[in-house]
Amino acid sequence: MRVPTLEDLPDPAGKRVLLRVDFNVPMTNGAIDDDRRIRAALPTITWLTDRGATVDACSHLGRPQGRPDPAFAMDAVRQRLADLAPGVNLLENLRFDPGETANDPAFVERLVEGRDLYVNDAFGACHRAHASVVGPPRRLPSAAGRLLGREVEVLEGLLSGPAKPFVGVLGGAKVSDKLAVINALLERVDTLVIGGGMAFTFLAARGHEVGASLLEPDRVEECRRLLGSGRRILVPADVVALGPDDAEVRTLAGDIPTGWKGLDIGPASAEAFAAEVAAAGTVLWNGPMGVFEDPRFAAGTRRLAQAVASTTAFTVVGGGDSAAAMAKFGLDGEVNHLSTGGGASLELIEKGDLPGLAALRESVHA
Ligand code: 3PG
Ligand code: MG
């Protein structure tokens, strides 16, 4: 479903553009860990400024509770933006105002006041029906920026005609967060590979003991239903686990003893998952296979990242953690599409649309 693009806007020369970006970058002690989301907005910014527009960019950062909070101030982001795109303004964190997440019309009015055009390049926030995402298209001529346009093109391609076999790889901590998308993905993929913390609820559903591993007992039944659905779902046959003393690390297959906590997929599982990726036509990866920040539990995610980097399949990696893993292993340049949105990319695949996209399509001025 087509959204208006920059070319659909009236001539931006001399105009003031409200540009919604997703500069919700990972930070440690006030310093930016990864500026990918800022760099990803540059093509749109350049397109606008080259044509004589003044750009007022706006973003959320973290989850402040609707009031100014110095821990979530935009200073470091503003500084980085000034280095990369001098002359572009950046408003204060949108979520310092309770009107942003509440989608308050009065906050929308404040955002559009004095501005002539609206561009949304905040793919990572398009699944949020927040004021800055869905409000301005009702008030100003509006379009999707380049980053948003490319994300939608690639992800809609996965929905319409992916090269087969289509292999989905899901990881991350919680199965409950991803049950809806697992159901949707099973309609589309030929094989679904499950790793990360969420794998243990599937292993429990297979009748295994999972020791002290992450388990969501109230989801076991749903995982059992999925495993019995006749779809091809792969779960780890071995795991790397930490002992009750928090020191000993072992590879375990089958039941995990009491007190042991699985924190990565094991080497046999990593090879099996890598083989699926190698033989795929399309790969969608979201969520790490283990706690890869800890070198003892990084091997599974590293093996998967290598497989994604070297397969001939068309590869899409979404989610901040998987993107960070690709970057950590120096493989982020080896992916066909590194999505800037985790939740947004999964929700687009699950629902086929996002509030931010619908708002652009329904823009009165579109
Ligand atoms: C993200 O980083 O996932 C997006 O910026 C959305 O942030 P949110 O989950 O706090 O809405
Ligand atoms: Mg998120």
Side-chain angles (χ1 to χ4, degrees):
M1 277 171 292
R2 199 183 164 279
V3 290
T5 63
L6 295 175
E7 285 74 14
D8 296 315
L9 289 173
D11 181 2
K15 300 276 171 52
R16 225 176 167 96
V17 180
L18 178 69
L19 174 64
R20 183 32 161 125
V21 286
D22 184 353
F23 288 171
N24 184 26
V25 292
M27 311 245 297
T28 307
N29 299 327
I32 298 170
D33 296 326
D34 177 6
D35 66 357
R36 177 183 316 273
R37 280 178 165 179
I38 303 176
R39 285 184 283 113
L42 294 178
T44 297
I45 289 173
T46 308
W47 192 94
L48 290 166
T49 54
D50 279 356
R51 284 163 183 75
T54 301
V55 175
D56 294 333
C58 61
S59 178
H60 69 287
L61 178 65
R63 293 180 176 172
Q65 298 302 305
R67 54 177 184 275
D69 178 342
F72 298 104
M74 298 301 259
D75 302 340
V77 174
R78 187 173 293 112
Q79 186 55 55
R80 188 81 188 106
L81 180 64
D83 295 342
L84 294 167
V88 172
N89 307 306
L90 180 64
L91 309 192
E92 194 37 278
N93 191 337
L94 292 163
R95 291 184 185 170
F96 283 2
D97 192 303
E100 168 64 357
T101 54
N103 188 15
D104 178 354
F107 187 60
V108 175
E109 286 314 307
R110 289 222 296 287
L111 288 173
V112 300
E113 199 192 324
R115 302 191 168 106
D116 309 300
L117 306 172
Y118 171 75
V119 173
N120 184 347
D121 220 11
F123 175 67
C126 277
H127 57 319
R128 307 292 184 213
H130 293 172
S132 65
V133 177
V134 296
R138 283 194 289 269
R139 300 278 289 102
L140 300 175
S142 297
R146 290 288 186 256
L147 145 67
L148 179 54
R150 177 72 184 142
E151 294 270 12
V152 170
E153 183 184 17
V154 171
L155 293 161
E156 286 188 346
L158 294 191
L159 293 175
S160 56
K164 298 284 197 170
F166 184 1
V167 176
V169 182
L170 285 185
K174 283 181 144 188
V175 76
S176 50
D177 288 347
K178 287 187 178 160
L179 272 174
V181 78
I182 289 173
N183 275 296
L185 268 179
L186 283 172
E187 300 297 317
R188 307 190 177 278
V189 298
D190 300 292
T191 302
L192 184 62
V193 171
I194 308 265
M198 67 156 118
F200 297 100
T201 303
F202 281 91
L203 290 172
R206 278 256 175 97
H208 287 296
E209 298 293 335
V210 297
S213 309
L214 198 67
L215 173 69
E216 291 181 82
D218 54 333
R219 306 294 171 167
V220 172
E221 206 39 59
E222 172 76 350
C223 290
R224 189 174 293 133
R225 188 190 64 74
L226 291 168
L227 290 169
S229 66
R231 309 280 178 170
R232 189 157 184 266
I233 302 177
L234 304 186
V235 297
D238 60 348
V239 303
V240 179
L242 181 64
D245 56 357
D246 274 356
E248 195 183 347
V249 173
R250 274 192 210 161
T251 296
L252 302 167
D255 290 341
I256 301 173
T258 309
W260 287 76
K261 188 190 273 189
L263 293 172
D264 191 13
I265 59 172
S269 306
E271 284 314 314
F273 292 1
E276 295 294 328
V277 167
T282 305
V283 177
L284 171 68
W285 179 27
N286 185 304
M289 297 292 99
V291 185
F292 71 95
E293 299 85 354
D294 183 329
R296 297 173 297 173
F297 309 110
T301 303
R302 183 188 297 112
R303 185 70 191 92
L304 209 278
Q306 286 163 345
V308 168
S310 58
T311 180
T312 55
F314 182 76
T315 52
V316 178
V317 175
D321 290 334
S322 320
M326 291 306 289
K328 176 178 171 150
F329 303 130
L331 299 169
D332 45 332
E334 310 296 317
V335 183
N336 290 104
H337 183 71
L338 202 55
S339 177
T340 53
S345 60
L346 291 180
E347 192 166 321
L348 181 54
I349 285 164
E350 179 190 334
K351 301 189 176 147
D353 203 4
L354 298 173
L357 300 178
L360 288 175
R361 277 198 307 272
E362 288 157 17
S363 173
V364 284
H365 301 273

